[in-house]
Amino acid sequence: MRKLFFVFLLVMVCWTSATAQFRRNRDKAQDSSPITEGKLNYSSPSEYFIAGIDITGLNVLDKNALISLTGLKIGDKIKIPGDQIASAIRKLWKHGLVGDVSISVERLEGLNAYLIINLAERPRLTDFYFVGINKSRQSSLKDDLKLIKGKIVNDAMIRNTELSVKKFFSKKGFLNTDVKIIQEHDTLNRGGVRLRINVDLKTKVRINEIRFEGNKMISDTDLKKKMKKTHEHARVSLHRTIISAITSTPPRKYKAALDSSRKLTFAQIKEFINHNVKLNFFNASKFLKNEFDEDKKKVLDYYNTQGYRDADILSDSIVKHGGNSIDVVLKVYEGRKYYFRNIIWTGNYIHTTATLNKILDIKKGDVYNRDLIDKKTSFNPKGADISGLYMDDGYLFFRVVPVEVAIVGDSIDVEMRIFEGEQATIDKVLISGNERTSDHVIRRELSTVPGQKFRRSDIIRTQQMLSTMGYFNPQKVEPDVRPNPQKGTVDIEWKLVEQSNDQIQLSGGWGGYYGFVGTVGLTFNNFSMRNVPNFKKWRPLPVGDGQKLSIQAQANGQSYQSYSLSFTEPWLGGRKPNSFTISLTHSISRRPNSNYEFTNDFSLQQNGLTLSLGRRLEWPDNYFTLSNSLSFLVYNYNNYLYGSTALPAVGQTNSIMLNTTLSRNSIDNPMYPTSGSQISLSLSVTPPYSSFRDPSYYSDINERYKWLELYKLMFDSKFYIKLLGSNKPEGRSLVLETRAHFGFIGAYDKRLPPGPFERFFMGGAGLAGGFNSYVLGQEIVGLRGYGDNLVTPPLYALRNSQSSTSIEGGIVYDKVVMELRYPITTGQTATIYTMAFAEAGNNWNNYYDFNPFRSYRSAGVGARIFMPAFGLIGLNWAYGFDTLPGATQKSGAQFHFTIGQQIR
């Protein structure tokens, strides 16, 4: 009995312990399981059939779509609790559509289970706004952020938005920008939130000083100049500049004086600042890591060009200077300076070593410069190169590899290993992007023709021709060269982007005393006459054949009206670049009578017809053109030329003139040239009527100038030099334009001076027509800083004098101009640039007084705006430094408004 009692007692203890453990495991299972149903036996998972699935907490999401995402379907057999339920929850979380989610059993009916999914949708973005920055920065930032309304707001979106805002402002120098994003419930949209983006810009981090350590052979100043985007902050205080610069790094030649007296003379201080202190008033001093890394590479590249091929930047550090300023310290290892010794050529069979050495132009003892080798072997923008020598002869597959084969002391031997390859023939020439311009208009300008040998110069020339046509964006004319070494051929695709260069001139207003003043003009630069009857090809007008049609009407009240029509076919016949132009003009200018009325009693009319033929030359090069024109003009005057005894009060002058112009144009961009030149030499002649007319014509005022008799020589030149700026087409470049102009009018008969027409009128903006309505039938030459036509003989004292017997207008003039240009934008929609200029010119009515060194001078600033629809518009402010004869003071400040491209 005692043994039975102990056995019973042991069984009861074990039973109690097992029951307690079971209850603990069951409770634990209930806590960890996503199934929350009290009636289920968690100690023994059972299989059930899903009889129904419902979802609670939906706002925007579709119920059926969410159920399908879980992988659970009605009729499926699942274990409850089991892995399928946990897997369904993980699938919902995986898509990021919901936040909290759980699945529970709503009820059981036998072996059928009804599930309910309890979830909370993630909020969706309905709007966002900024706090702490102005509206202009908000507008720029909104374009930069990729926040789309309706997207789910999650932690990743918040984090990426914060980083994007910080990155945006770090580019502008605000490195310490603090960004906090607060989610606000949108009361108007269920489940929507608005993001409040708080931005605290702090202050801009500026570079106080850039210091180099370890540089003994190249000065800090020279190294800083190579850092194009990382600059020191401009010294506002001259005193601080002198003291800090001189006391911190005194030049060796001033060190003794500085150590002894701590004082320098004014001349020494001035010299030191000119050579060692760089004032960056126009350069930003913000610190940007990516730009800093680029500038470090430029520093090393500069070292390499000076022969220091082993140069390296050992470390760089940023030292807080105080406030919002930092100092940038770069530790430099310069190494030894190297020189070229022997240049060895291998693999060259087409060209001799002497020829290659002449182009390379590197001699023994020259400073080692790997960048110079690369330019002279691949592409040298300033002269000949080895690659151009081969590729202009069809050797497209040519390549040259410079290899350093020996380094002896400070000297380096370089072996130029050449692979000449076979000559390549052009197979296919493709054109893409020309939506308005016909293929034949483009192909006739191509120097790259199928079947010809490949020439790199033809690629460059074609790119320039397509850029100057005006139909395409010159910055996006790209040749895609696709060589095929197996076949020995090359395909070339010209990728173009069309731009509209048609122009509409529409202006008008009330001119008070003159009446209505206005201009209406239409210029179609890519017109198609053959498509006029075919309305299906109007886009919205017939375009695509490269023809030019211009219609213009201009009025300055009753004082001036002008009408003109011209048409140009650039390829007459379609086979050669022979242009044909026909133009008709009608103009009338009236002076007021004693009652200040404009009538035909005091008027000058001009009617004209001009026919011209031009062709492109191949010699001396294909930048030359030759044009010839024949014009017939009729001038009818009625009491218009005051006081002149050279002409009758009422009469007619006829002019038949033949003009020949030889010109060369090699500019890279017609709207903002950065390189190249424009040179023109023109000769205009009339028949020598005096040779076969009765000698009495000279004394007969009615016959003297019935037929205009003269010859005219005109010279114009423009040169463009890029001084500073990017080599990329879309980059900004500081450009110097220099111009020279000269004109001369001569007579066949020395007894008869040139007539009253075709003379030179100088001064002002250089505008003709309604903007200068009393000057008709003359050559207008601008000279900013002086009034319109005021530098025109007779000057002042005899101007409009009733007693004057002189004919107004000069017969010889000269003018020189220097213009420094910098672009604001050179985009497709508009080209805007600013300028500073200086110019000088003069105008004489006889040959004996001509003196090219006696000129009227001026200088000023201005801006030009070109928009394809409206043409070129300019505004200038100029100051005339000289006093015109008869005037009491200097010409002084003048404003000038210009429309169109002024030739002179």
Side-chain angles (χ1 to χ4, degrees):
M1 290 297 294
R2 189 178 297 175
K3 290 181 179 180
L4 290 175
F5 174 75
F6 282 113
V7 171
F8 177 76
L9 183 61
L10 180 61
V11 171
M12 291 298 295
V13 171
C14 293
W15 172 260
T16 303
S17 177
T19 303
Q21 181 65 36
F22 171 75
R23 289 175 178 173
R24 285 195 298 270
N25 291 338
R26 184 190 64 184
D27 295 339
K28 184 177 180 181
Q30 284 180 317
D31 292 337
S32 61
S33 175
I35 300 296
T36 58
E37 177 57 54
K39 296 182 179 180
L40 293 174
N41 186 354
Y42 287 94
S43 60
S44 177
S46 302
E47 291 185 343
Y48 295 91
F49 292 97
I50 299 176
I53 304 174
D54 198 7
I55 300 179
T56 62
L58 290 178
N59 291 321
V60 179
L61 299 175
D62 181 71
K63 174 182 175 181
N64 294 328
L66 279 179
I67 292 175
S68 65
L69 289 178
T70 64
L72 302 176
K73 298 188 295 294
I74 295 177
D76 285 355
K77 189 176 183 180
I78 63 172
K79 283 187 177 182
I80 302 178
D83 294 337
Q84 291 167 287
I85 299 297
S87 175
I89 294 176
R90 285 195 297 270
K91 289 178 180 178
L92 291 175
W93 279 339
K94 176 182 177 181
H95 289 86
L97 300 174
V98 297
D100 296 334
V101 60
S102 65
I103 301 177
S104 60
V105 178
E106 185 179 16
R107 68 181 186 276
L108 294 174
E109 293 180 357
L111 294 178
N112 294 326
Y114 292 84
L115 305 182
I116 183 168
I117 303 174
N118 304 296
L119 56 80
E121 285 189 28
R122 289 188 182 273
R124 292 180 178 269
L125 180 65
T126 58
D127 196 10
F128 63 94
Y129 65 98
F130 302 95
V131 176
I133 55 177
N134 58 37
K135 290 185 178 179
S136 62
R137 284 174 173 163
Q138 290 183 27
S139 178
S140 300
L141 185 54
K142 281 184 178 180
D143 296 335
D144 197 64
L145 292 180
K146 297 179 181 179
L147 290 178
I148 303 174
K149 294 180 181 180
K151 290 194 69 175
I152 292 173
V153 178
N154 51 30
D155 294 339
M157 173 188 281
I158 300 297
R159 184 170 58 256
N160 291 335
T161 302
E162 288 180 353
L163 293 175
S164 296
V165 174
K166 288 182 178 180
K167 183 178 179 181
F168 176 84
F169 286 108
S170 68
K171 292 180 180 178
K172 302 181 180 298
F174 297 96
L175 300 185
N176 299 323
T177 301
D178 186 23
V179 181
K180 292 183 180 179
I181 300 179
I182 300 173
Q183 299 183 36
E184 298 177 345
H185 178 65
D186 192 343
T187 57
L188 300 178
N189 294 278
R190 188 177 65 173
V193 296
R194 303 169 69 224
L195 296 184
R196 173 179 173 175
I197 306 175
N198 296 318
V199 182
D200 184 2
L201 296 178
K202 308 294 185 184
T203 54
K204 278 189 176 181
V205 174
R206 299 187 180 276
I207 301 173
N208 175 70
E209 184 181 6
I210 300 175
R211 296 198 305 271
F212 289 89
E213 297 178 355
N215 56 314
K216 297 179 181 179
M217 306 309 296
I218 299 180
S219 67
D220 285 17
T221 303
D222 290 336
L223 295 178
K224 290 176 185 178
K225 289 179 181 179
K226 302 305 170 184
M227 304 181 75
K228 302 300 183 183
K229 298 181 180 180
T230 307
H231 305 281
E232 294 175 339
H233 186 42
R235 307 294 202 266
V236 179
S237 168
L238 182 61
H239 175 77
R240 177 187 170 195
T241 303
I242 297 171
I243 298 300
S244 63
I246 294 179
T247 57
S248 61
T249 54
R252 292 184 181 89
K253 64 191 249 184
Y254 302 144
K255 184 172 178 56
L258 189 62
D259 291 341
S260 60
S261 63
R262 306 300 294 176
K263 294 181 180 179
L264 296 176
T265 66
F266 177 78
Q268 288 174 325
I269 293 173
K270 181 178 179 181
E271 182 182 352
F272 177 79
I273 292 175
N274 288 339
H275 290 85
N276 296 278
V277 180
K278 184 180 179 183
L279 298 178
N280 297 300
F281 287 107
F282 301 102
N283 291 325
S285 62
K286 57 191 178 185
F287 179 83
L288 300 178
K289 185 65 169 61
N290 57 339
E291 293 182 352
F292 177 59
D293 292 338
E294 292 177 7
D295 283 338
K296 287 194 298 182
K297 186 177 183 302
K298 288 184 174 66
V299 169
L300 290 180
D301 290 342
Y302 178 67
Y303 263 111
N304 293 336
T305 62
Q306 302 303 305
Y308 299 95
R309 64 184 291 276
D310 300 329
D312 193 12
I313 296 178
L314 302 178
S315 65
D316 61 83
S317 58
I318 297 175
V319 181
K320 190 173 181 60
H321 179 76
N324 64 332
S325 298
I326 60 172
D327 291 342
V328 178
V329 182
L330 296 97
K331 190 173 182 179
V332 176
Y333 170 73
E334 292 183 328
R336 169 180 278 181
K337 187 171 185 177
Y338 291 90
Y339 302 86
F340 286 106
R341 192 173 69 165
N342 298 317
I343 304 293
I344 306 163
W345 297 90
T346 62
N348 55 307
Y349 303 102
I350 306 299
H351 298 285
T352 65
T353 298
T355 301
L356 299 178
N357 278 331
K358 185 177 180 179
I359 295 176
L360 189 65
D361 194 25
I362 296 177
K363 300 177 178 60
K364 186 175 183 178
D366 287 352
V367 173
Y368 184 80
N369 185 345
R370 184 59 184 259
D371 182 64
L372 179 62
I373 292 180
D374 293 339
K375 285 183 179 179
K376 290 297 187 71
T377 55
S378 57
F379 181 74
N380 182 15
K382 297 182 179 180
D385 56 76
I386 305 299
S387 180
L389 178 68
Y390 276 92
M391 289 192 177
D392 279 347
D393 196 22
Y395 292 93
L396 173 63
F397 311 112
F398 158 87
R399 66 178 182 271
V400 55
V401 180
V403 179
E404 297 175 0
V405 293
I407 301 176
V408 181
D410 63 352
S411 300
I412 299 177
D413 291 345
V414 179
E415 184 176 294
M416 313 294 287
R417 299 175 181 175
I418 290 180
F419 172 76
E420 294 177 332
E422 299 293 331
Q423 288 180 312
T425 303
I426 299 175
D427 185 14
K428 298 178 182 177
V429 177
L430 309 174
I431 300 171
S432 62
N434 54 318
E435 299 175 355
R436 301 172 75 240
T437 306
S438 301
D439 277 6
H440 76 274
V441 174
I442 302 171
R443 290 192 179 276
R444 67 193 186 191
E445 301 292 344
L446 301 182
S447 299
T448 54
V449 180
Q452 291 185 353
K453 285 193 305 184
F454 175 87
R455 290 168 52 92
R456 191 181 71 174
S457 58
D458 289 341
I459 296 287
I460 298 173
R461 176 58 175 153
T462 299
Q463 188 171 16
Q464 188 175 34
M465 288 297 297
L466 295 177
S467 298
T468 56
M469 288 178 70
Y471 312 145
F472 313 106
N473 186 343
Q475 299 174 359
K476 297 183 178 180
V477 176
E478 298 180 3
D480 184 8
V481 180
R482 306 167 187 168
N484 189 338
Q486 289 77 18
K487 295 182 178 180
T489 60
V490 58
D491 294 340
I492 302 172
E493 180 180 359
W494 289 99
K495 297 181 178 180
L496 310 172
V497 176
E498 292 264 16
Q499 68 176 12
S500 175
N501 64 340
D502 297 333
Q503 298 176 12
I504 301 174
Q505 288 180 284
L506 184 62
S507 62
W510 184 254
Y513 170 68
Y514 294 96
F516 176 79
V517 178
T519 300
V520 177
L522 295 173
T523 302
F524 305 105
N525 290 298
N526 194 6
F527 192 72
S528 176
M529 184 65 73
R530 66 186 178 93
N531 287 333
V532 170
N534 190 352
F535 292 100
K536 293 182 179 179
K537 294 187 178 182
W538 285 42
R539 292 173 288 181
L541 293 170
V543 296
D545 283 346
Q547 299 164 342
K548 182 177 180 179
L549 177 66
S550 180
I551 305 171
Q552 190 173 44
Q554 194 174 22
N556 191 0
Q558 289 295 316
S559 69
Y560 178 84
Q561 293 94 41
S562 176
Y563 310 93
S564 64
L565 170 67
S566 67
F567 174 79
T568 300
E569 168 55 69
W571 283 66
L572 185 63
R575 293 186 177 182
K576 293 184 178 181
N578 298 327
S579 63
F580 171 75
T581 300
I582 180 171
S583 61
L584 300 168
T585 60
H586 169 73
S587 302
I588 181 169
S589 177
R590 302 180 180 90
R591 293 184 183 271
N593 59 18
S594 58
N595 296 323
Y596 298 100
E597 297 174 341
F598 294 96
T599 67
N600 290 335
D601 295 335
F602 299 89
S603 65
L604 171 64
Q605 290 189 43
Q606 174 188 297
N607 298 292
L609 168 66
T610 301
L611 302 175
S612 62
L613 287 171
R615 63 191 180 96
R616 195 179 303 159
L617 304 178
E618 295 297 328
W619 186 90
D621 59 42
N622 55 12
Y623 293 109
F624 279 87
T625 58
L626 179 67
S627 63
N628 299 281
S629 66
L630 180 65
S631 60
F632 176 66
L633 299 174
V634 178
Y635 300 95
N636 291 290
Y637 39 87
N638 190 353
N639 299 308
Y640 190 81
L641 305 172
Y642 289 154
S644 175
T645 60
L647 291 171
V650 179
Q652 176 178 303
T653 296
N654 305 305
S655 171
I656 297 177
M657 187 172 292
L658 176 66
N659 172 271
T660 298
T661 301
L662 178 66
S663 60
R664 186 182 189 274
N665 185 352
S666 62
I667 62 174
D668 58 345
N669 188 327
M671 287 302 103
Y672 188 77
T674 61
S675 63
S677 62
Q678 287 180 302
I679 303 174
S680 173
L681 181 62
S682 172
L683 176 64
S684 300
V685 297
T686 65
Y689 299 108
S690 58
S691 300
F692 45 82
R693 294 175 67 184
D694 191 302
S696 62
Y697 81 93
Y698 177 74
S699 58
D700 188 346
I701 192 174
N702 293 313
E703 295 291 329
R704 185 179 303 166
Y705 289 114
K706 186 173 183 180
W707 291 93
L708 194 65
E709 180 179 312
L710 56 82
Y711 60 90
K712 181 192 292 186
L713 183 67
M714 303 286 287
F715 173 78
D716 302 284
S717 66
K718 300 179 182 179
F719 294 88
Y720 300 92
I721 302 173
K722 183 189 296 185
L723 300 180
L724 297 171
S726 171
N727 290 323
K728 297 179 180 179
E730 66 275 10
R732 297 180 182 180
S733 301
L734 181 67
V735 176
L736 176 65
E737 179 200 53
T738 57
R739 305 196 329 246
H741 307 279
F742 173 79
F744 176 88
I745 298 176
Y748 299 112
D749 191 338
K750 295 182 179 180
R751 297 174 301 171
L752 185 67
F757 303 107
E758 300 292 338
R759 288 182 171 236
F760 305 122
F761 278 60
M762 176 181 283
L767 293 174
F771 304 98
N772 203 352
S773 56
Y774 291 144
V775 180
L776 192 60
Q778 312 290 359
E779 290 282 355
I780 308 300
V781 181
L783 186 64
R784 293 167 288 191
Y786 299 88
D788 288 344
N789 311 323
L790 292 187
V791 190
T792 301
L795 298 173
Y796 275 102
L798 297 177
R799 179 65 53 82
N800 294 335
S801 171
Q802 297 293 332
S803 61
S804 171
T805 59
S806 300
I807 300 176
E808 287 188 34
I811 59 175
V812 58
Y813 89 95
D814 68 351
K815 176 184 173 182
V816 291
V817 183
M818 291 185 66
E819 207 167 82
L820 199 61
R821 299 176 172 182
Y822 188 77
I824 305 301
T825 177
T826 55
Q828 184 175 353
T829 56
T831 297
I832 305 173
Y833 60 89
T834 58
M835 69 180 75
F837 59 84
E839 59 188 30
N842 205 348
N843 193 8
W844 297 268
N845 62 354
N846 63 76
Y847 314 125
Y848 308 104
D849 294 335
F850 173 72
N851 184 350
F853 301 104
R854 192 175 74 239
S855 299
Y856 297 100
R857 303 159 300 162
S858 65
V861 295
R864 294 286 185 275
I865 301 174
F866 173 79
M867 292 181 289
F870 300 101
L872 186 65
I873 302 171
L875 180 65
N876 302 286
W877 177 90
Y879 188 90
F881 296 109
D882 298 306
T883 303
L884 292 172
T888 59
Q889 59 185 2
K890 296 179 179 180
S891 180
Q894 304 270 345
F895 278 99
H896 303 285
F897 177 76
T898 62
I899 293 180
Q901 188 77 264
Q902 273 67 53
I903 299 176
R904 302 175 181 90

